[in-house]
Amino acid sequence: MPSAAASGLTRTVYNTIFKRNSVFVTTIFVGAIGFEVAFDSTTDKIWDNLNKGKQWKDIKHKYEQ
């Protein structure tokens, strides 16, 4: 038998997110967009760190007049 706290938590999550389809779909879209932004910015920072000095933004001052 589940504990009372877990039962209350699952009931609250169900009532706030899963009960109405429109709220569930909106939660999925907001979560997906948030994950995309976080993943994109993290991978860009890793890429820039690994390729420092090799990218156009790092060397363009040598070629512009």
Side-chain angles (χ1 to χ4, degrees):
M1 178 157 216
S3 67
S7 177
L9 177 65
T10 55
R11 185 176 299 121
T12 302
V13 170
Y14 174 78
N15 285 333
T16 56
I17 296 175
F18 298 117
K19 193 170 186 178
R20 294 181 51 194
N21 190 41
S22 59
V23 176
F24 180 61
V25 170
T26 303
T27 303
I28 291 173
F29 277 107
V30 169
I33 292 170
F35 178 79
E36 177 188 4
V37 169
F39 184 81
D40 189 40
S41 64
T42 302
T43 55
D44 281 346
K45 288 178 184 177
I46 292 170
W47 180 264
D48 289 340
N49 191 25
L50 291 174
N51 294 299
K52 187 170 256 179
K54 301 175 188 174
Q55 299 179 53
W56 175 248
K57 66 181 179 180
D58 297 331
I59 62 170
K60 74 177 170 182
H61 66 279
K62 295 179 182 179
Y63 300 102
E64 290 182 334
Q65 295 179 10

